[in-house]
Amino acid sequence: MSFSEEKQLDERDGRYLRKAIVWSHAARRRGNRPFGAVIVSESGEILAEAYCNSGETGDCTGHAEINAVRMLGARQIPRDELARATLYSSAEPCVMCAGAIFWSAIGRVVYGVDAPRLRVFRGDHADQRDAQLSCREVFGASPHAIECIGPALVDEALAAHIGAWKE
C-alpha cells in the first residue's frame, strides 16, 4: 500500500490542526470514534469546534466535520466568509463530510491522517469500512475551489487511533 507524502504546515495551520487532534482524543475519552474538527475564519477566529459523537448519540452522521458544519448554521455566517475559512480535521474527511464541506462553501481543508493510513488501524470489519473515495475527488467535482492540504502531523493524528478500533 502506498501512502501520500506528509505535508509540512506553517505555524497557524499546525496550531489549529493540533486543536482538531485534541478534539479527537476528547471524542475517544467519551467512547466515540477518535475524530475532531475545528473551523477557523480567515482572520483566525474559531467559528466551530467539534468531535465525533456518533457513539454517544447513535447518529451515524455525527462525524466531527458534520458536527462543526452544523454549528455554523446557528451563527448564520455569510457564504463568502466561509469561502475564506479553513476546516481542520484530525483525519481526511470521508465522502459524507467532504459533501458537507462542499455544501457549506468552506474553501479550505487541512487534515491530519489520510484515509489509507487510517484503514490500516480500522481493519476490515464491515462497521469500520468507508467508501474508498478521497475527499480530493469529491472536492474536485465542486464548481468552486476547495483547497485541500494533507496528510500532515500524521503521527500526532494517529495517536488517538492506537487501540481504538476492533482487532
Side-chain angles (χ1 to χ4, degrees):
M1 181 179 297
S2 155
F3 296 123
S4 298
E5 184 178 329
E6 188 168 347
K7 307 295 185 228
Q8 297 301 308
L9 301 178
D10 63 21
E11 186 275 330
R12 174 187 162 119
D13 284 342
R15 178 174 13 121
Y16 292 120
L17 181 53
R18 285 184 175 97
K19 283 186 76 63
I21 292 168
V22 166
W23 280 109
S24 73
H25 287 279
R28 182 171 178 187
R29 284 191 304 275
R30 295 181 65 114
N32 298 293
R33 293 196 171 159
F35 298 97
V38 177
I39 302 173
V40 180
S41 73
E42 181 180 43
S43 67
E45 176 190 359
I46 293 177
L47 303 174
E49 298 179 90
Y51 61 88
C52 175
N53 69 355
S54 55
E56 291 172 65
T57 64
D59 178 359
C60 64
T61 67
H63 293 198
E65 300 93 333
I66 297 282
N67 290 335
V69 166
R70 285 179 178 146
M71 290 176 182
L72 297 176
R75 298 193 59 190
Q76 298 183 346
I77 299 166
R79 290 179 69 78
D80 64 318
E81 185 176 333
L82 290 174
R84 296 184 306 274
T86 300
L87 184 143
Y88 296 89
S89 179
S90 62
E92 179 177 353
C94 72
V95 172
M96 176 182 67
C97 293
I101 292 164
F102 158 74
W103 285 110
S104 72
I106 292 170
R108 187 167 181 266
V109 173
V110 177
Y111 67 85
V113 62
D114 56 328
R117 283 183 179 91
L118 192 54
R119 287 183 193 113
V120 172
F121 278 81
R122 291 198 317 222
D124 199 32
H125 295 276
D127 65 335
Q128 295 179 168
R129 284 191 227 142
D130 65 324
Q132 294 191 15
L133 186 68
S134 79
C135 66
R136 282 184 172 84
E137 291 172 278
V138 175
F139 298 154
S142 170
H144 60 269
I146 302 172
E147 181 183 5
C148 186
I149 299 168
L153 305 178
V154 172
D155 290 339
E156 292 177 51
L158 276 175
H161 294 273
I162 297 171
W165 298 91
K166 294 178 191 173
E167 301 276 334

